[in-house]
Structures are given as C-alpha cells and as structure tokens.
C-alpha cells in the first residue's frame, strides 16, 4: 500500500512539474525567496537610528514596564512584547541581539510567502500566488523597512493576512477557521500599529454587503472589540494627546507627500525594480487573460499597471 501511495505521489508531482503555470510560479517564488534572503543579509548591518534604538531599549525592560511605557507612547505593545520574547529566547544561544532584532522584522515577509503558497494559490492559482509572493517583498519604499527594528512590517503582515482571510469569509461565510483567523489577525494588527485600524472600514463594508454573514460578523466582531477593550482607553488618550500637540490639520499637500512616500523606491535598486515589475505585470496579464478578462479583472489589471508605472516613475 505504501508503494502504491508513493507511486501516486510521484505521478502527481511529475504531472504538476509539467504544468506551465507551475513552472512560472516556481520562478516567481524563487525570486521572492531570493529577495527575502537579501533582506536577511541586510540585517547584518549593526547600525541603528533613534526609533530603532527606542524599540531595542524597550525590550530590555520587564513585560509589565514595557506595556506601561508603550501606554504612554504612540504605539500599542504587541510588537515590542513579541520582539522582547524573540531576543530573550535567542540570547540563550548567544545570538547577536541587534541582528536578531533586525531579522525579526523580516519574518512577516516569510510568513506571507508561505501564505501565498497555501491560501492565495488555493483561491487564485499558481501564477497569481507567485506574483503575489514577489510583489509583497518588492513593494516600493516598504522594502526599506524590512530590516528596521520597528513594527511596520508586522503591521503590514497582519493586515495582509487578515485581508486574505476576509476573502475566505466572503467566499464561504460558514468557515469557522476563516472567521477565527480574520479576527485573530485583525486583533493583532490593532495591537501592533494604530494605522492598521484604518482597514476596518473596508472590512465592515464587505461583510455588511454579504448579509449571510451578519450573525457571525456580529459574534466575531464583538469578540474582537471585547479583546481590544483593555487598550481602548490608552488609544483614545494617545489620540487626544497627539491632537493637542499637533501643529495643525493634515492638508492636501501632506496627502500628496504621503502618496509619493508610499511609491518611492531607493534609486540603487531601480534596475532590479524595473525587472521585477515587468515580470509581475506580464504574469498577471497572462493569468487574467487565461481565466476571464471581465470588468473586475480588467480593472484590477489596469490598477496594478498604474501602480507599477507610478512607482517606477518616482524611482
């Protein structure tokens, strides 16, 4: 019986290896893995700037004092607690604390690489999942945050994972796993960075449109809010403190700067960025055409092309 199972597995792998979509995906996943490897390599640089030093300093405090200090800062405590646990655990084997702290910021990209292989591939196919894995590690400007001792990559990772599970919830409102995963990543995102809360507007809009999910939405959303309630007081207090100390309202010029900032890519990586963007655009175009080029897919393709064009023009 084991021999027959082994032969069936070999036949399945052989058939998969001869599929064109799989071969393209292997290249995309390999490129994404190479970029992640470059991120880890960049962590060897031991220099840190002020915000990174503050993150590292917090990990030297006890957990209770760490939470107390973050309650009086401008960020929630989850990232710092996870970072402290990682540094303390690896210090037992003599690992360099600065390098470990920097590598910790790369882990969300590794997790999303695995997510694309499991969840995105299952829902959208090999080519789309491979392009997703590559695009997620070559995003303009955010690439520079990969090795910073800050919470931004983790915030991005939690929000992206939540959106992936949100799609699963909309696709199958009866999936308890999807609901639990959505609630978990939403809660983690909220406890990691306050700006991650902005995506909840899309979350609520999509769920409310799917009326079959309203009951489960009320249950899981209520549980998520309840679990976040202990920190709500500090969130409101920090918002009030920031608004009193702010120099003024955000104007149109500020929004333009934020937009350009999101698309900026280091000039030293310009050629590499062109190469990766061209590959992703071609693969996504093939994926859309191969399945069905309806209005939704065409809009998505145009949107991705516009994103790549704008980001490349700013490098």
């Amino acid at each position: 019986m084991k021999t027959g199972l082994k032969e069936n597995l070999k036949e399945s792998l052989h058939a998969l290896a001869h599929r064109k979509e799989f071969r393209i995906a292997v290249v995309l996943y390999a490129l994404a893995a190479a970029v992640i490897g470059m991120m880890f390599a960049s962590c060897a640089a031991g220099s840190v700037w002020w915000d990174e030093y503050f993150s590292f300093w917090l990990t030297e405090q006890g957990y209770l004092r760490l939470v107390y200090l973050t309650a009086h800062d401008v960020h929630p405590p989850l990232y710092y607690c996870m970072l402290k646990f990682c540094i303390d655990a690896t210090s037992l084997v003599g690992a360099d604390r600065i390098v470990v702290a920097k590598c910790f910021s790369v882990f969300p990209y590794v997790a999303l690489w695995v997510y694309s292989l499991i969840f995105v591939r299952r829902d959208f196919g090999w080519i789309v999942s491979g392009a997703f894995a590559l695009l997620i590690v070559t995003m303009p400007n955010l690439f520079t945050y990969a090795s910073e001792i800050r919470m931004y990559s983790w915030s991005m990772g939690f929000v992206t994972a939540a959106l992936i599970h949100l799609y699963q919830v909309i696709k199958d409102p009866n999936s308890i796993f999807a609901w639990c995963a959505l609630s978990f990543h939403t809660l983690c995102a909220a406890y990691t960075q306050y700006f991650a809360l902005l995506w909840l507007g899309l979350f609520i809009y999509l769920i409310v449109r799917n009326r079959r999910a309203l009951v489960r939405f009320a249950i899981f959303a209520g549980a998520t809010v309840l679990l976040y309630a202990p920190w709500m007081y500090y969130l409101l207090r920090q918002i009030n403190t920031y608004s009193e100390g702010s120099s003024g309202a955000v104007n149109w010029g500020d929004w333009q700067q934020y937009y350009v900032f999101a698309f900026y890519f280091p000039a030293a990586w310009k050629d590499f960025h062109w190469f990766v963007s061209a590959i992703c655009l071609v693969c996504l175009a093939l994926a859309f055409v191969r399945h069905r080029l309806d209005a939704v897919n065409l809009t998505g393709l145009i949107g991705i092309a516009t994103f790549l064009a704008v980001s490349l023009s700013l490098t």
Side-chain angles (χ1 to χ4, degrees), residues 52-285:
E52 289 182 286
Y53 176 77
F54 176 73
S55 300
F56 189 76
W57 175 78
L58 280 176
T59 65
E60 297 179 337
Q61 315 303 313
Y63 283 102
L64 291 179
R65 178 162 175 76
L66 187 157
V67 173
Y68 171 81
L69 291 172
T70 53
H72 293 79
D73 188 44
V74 293
H75 294 295
L78 180 59
Y79 165 77
Y80 300 114
C81 290
M82 294 192 304
L83 178 62
K84 175 178 173 57
F85 178 82
C86 181
I87 291 177
D88 290 346
T90 54
S91 64
L92 297 176
V93 295
D96 186 287
R97 296 169 65 88
I98 294 291
V99 174
V100 169
K102 286 179 172 291
C103 288
F104 185 70
S105 294
V106 184
F107 291 161
Y109 294 94
V110 177
L112 289 176
W113 190 94
V114 176
Y115 250 64
S116 66
L117 186 60
I118 298 174
F119 297 108
V120 179
R121 176 196 57 78
R122 186 177 63 187
D123 291 327
F124 299 99
W126 280 105
I127 294 181
V128 172
S129 67
F132 172 87
L134 185 56
L135 285 171
I136 208 71
V137 298
T138 55
M139 290 185 298
N141 208 9
L142 293 185
F143 184 88
T144 60
Y145 287 105
S147 60
E148 282 196 357
I149 311 175
R150 299 297 289 162
M151 73 293 298
Y152 304 116
S153 63
W154 279 95
S155 174
M156 178 274 296
F158 284 133
V159 170
T160 305
L163 287 169
I164 291 173
H165 291 297
L166 174 59
Y167 176 81
Q168 294 177 336
V169 165
I170 296 174
K171 184 179 178 181
D172 181 13
N174 297 318
S175 174
I176 300 300
F177 167 78
W179 278 107
C180 290
L182 172 60
S183 299
F184 172 78
H185 287 99
T186 299
L187 188 65
C188 288
Y191 270 115
T192 300
Q193 226 255 349
Y194 292 129
F195 283 108
L197 293 169
L198 296 177
W199 89 276
L200 292 178
L202 174 63
F203 168 37
I204 296 173
Y205 169 75
L206 292 174
I207 291 296
V208 170
R209 283 195 61 184
N210 190 347
R211 298 188 178 183
R212 294 181 302 163
L214 286 180
V215 174
R216 284 187 173 83
F217 168 74
I219 295 173
F220 283 93
T224 303
V225 171
L226 185 64
L227 291 171
Y228 195 69
W231 197 257
M232 190 64 70
Y233 166 76
Y234 300 104
L235 167 61
L236 297 176
R237 188 177 69 175
Q238 289 171 4
I239 291 175
N240 183 61
T241 301
Y242 177 79
S243 61
E244 290 178 354
S246 177
S247 59
V250 177
N251 55 40
W252 176 246
D254 294 327
W255 285 111
Q256 288 178 311
Q257 292 180 10
Y258 299 153
Y259 178 82
V260 172
F261 176 84
F263 283 103
Y264 174 77
F265 203 88
W269 294 89
K270 184 175 181 179
D271 293 337
F272 176 75
H273 191 207
W274 273 100
F275 173 69
V276 169
S277 299
I279 291 177
C280 290
L281 187 58
V282 170
C283 291
L284 288 171

Side-chain angles (χ1 to χ4, degrees), residues 22-39:
F22 175 75
R23 294 198 298 271
I24 294 175
V26 167
V27 175
L28 296 174
Y29 276 110
L31 286 172
V35 174
I36 293 174
M38 294 162 58
M39 291 178 178

Side-chain angles (χ1 to χ4, degrees), residues 10-24:
K10 288 177 62 177
E11 290 179 3
S12 299
L13 292 175
H14 181 76
L16 182 62
H18 283 76
R19 288 178 55 186
K20 187 176 181 179
E21 295 88 347
F22 175 75
R23 294 198 298 271
I24 294 175

